[in-house]
Amino acid sequence: MSTLSSHRPLLVIGGAGYIGSHTVRHLAEAGQPVVVLDNFSLGHRGAIVTPSVTVVAGELSDAELIESLFAEHHFDAVIHFAACSVVGESVAEPLKYYSNNVGAPLVVLEAMRRHRCQSFILSSTAATYGDPVTMPMDERHPQQPINPYGWSKFMLERILTDCQAAWGLRSVALRYFNAAGASEDGLIGEDHHPETHLIPRVLMAITGEIEKITVFGRDYPTPDGTCIRDYIHVLDLATAHAAALAHLRNEGGSLRCNLGTGRGCSVQEIISLAEAVTGKPVPLDYGPRRAGDPPSLVADPTLARTALGWQAAHPDPRFMIETAWRWLTGPQGGRYDRSARAA
Ligand code: UFG
């Protein structure tokens, strides 16, 4: 049986970010040779904890650099994480999103075509679906994004399909629902600046790092009036990328796959779980709805199970909160060393 170490090196773009770093660690610890390319604008040097990983600081849009990496390492596959992913920011700065999320990856795809590297795994998103029409959402759900972030990922998915028709690229686009949690040992985790996501903000309100959490709306048509999301542990996202890589290396065809648990959890439930896990109250208030938030977003994860043999091993949101809390209250206090980041 082939081991991952018997494979050619893998290029991971944006491998120092939240989901990228957990995936890189998972693959590298399994023996996969990995080269990470990251410009460290959002990623962190401290998030790469496996010594075997080669780290290259640089821009995805730097055609010369990309060409030299392909010439040196002869990658057989690319995993592409690097992207801007804040919905509100994408509405205010659409060109930034189209430039970073659609324009820049074209340089890599061009190099892949030249070097006959035919396997590409994309971080896509449930935001490509837009407002839900059916629930849970499977991959046949209409893709009608409602913000530039969702459109940018939708466009890249489309580009991958066109590259397949033109030169045989095979791709897996993994449509994440709500990524959450951290590594079990608390060594790596989520460090966004500013942090907008629910679970880290709830925990930051408990530690006092922020004054309180505002619950965006409690008049939604859900059992407790707050929004329901499908939270998926970042360690499960990592194993899904490994499954997608194995699929492509075994000559599997292109796929567009949801990554979720199939179970929804409300904002209020997350708050109650955070209080149970930490034994502390969450300082909060209730505010108006946030623009663009659908009441409920839950994945139908069947295709990932049947096509990739993957399913979430940690579907319990309590474990997501426990590991996020361990990261936030551990030796690093939920923050990578900023000076190392600038180095
Ligand atoms: N929320 C609050 N208060 C906060 C933060 C969030 O009430 O301070 C609520 C939101 O209104 C939403 C839920 O918590 O109902 C989850 O919000 P997040 O910001 O954590 O996540 P989103 O569902 O908005 O976004 C995630 C990803 C996006 C992706 C989107 C759609 O972060 O990249 O799912 O799939 F586009």
Side-chain angles (χ1 to χ4, degrees), residues 85 87 125-127 149 176 178 196-198 201 213-216 227 229 231 267 290 293 297:
S85 62
V87 170
T125 169
Y149 169 61
Y176 312 155
N178 286 62
T196 61
H197 294 112
L198 177 66
R201 284 186 66 78
I213 173 105
T214 299
V215 175
F216 299 138
C227 283
R229 293 290 179 272
Y231 295 91
V267 172
R290 187 173 68 175
D293 271 343
L297 277 179

Side-chain angles (χ1 to χ4, degrees), residues 6 164 200 287 306 312:
S6 68
Q164 170 147 26
T306 53

Side-chain angles (χ1 to χ4, degrees), residues 109-110 112-114 117-118 162-169:
L109 289 168
E110 191 54 55
M112 290 179 71
R113 187 180 64 78
R114 273 198 308 277
C117 174
Q118 303 274 70
D162 291 343
C163 288
Q164 170 147 26
W167 48 273
L169 177 76

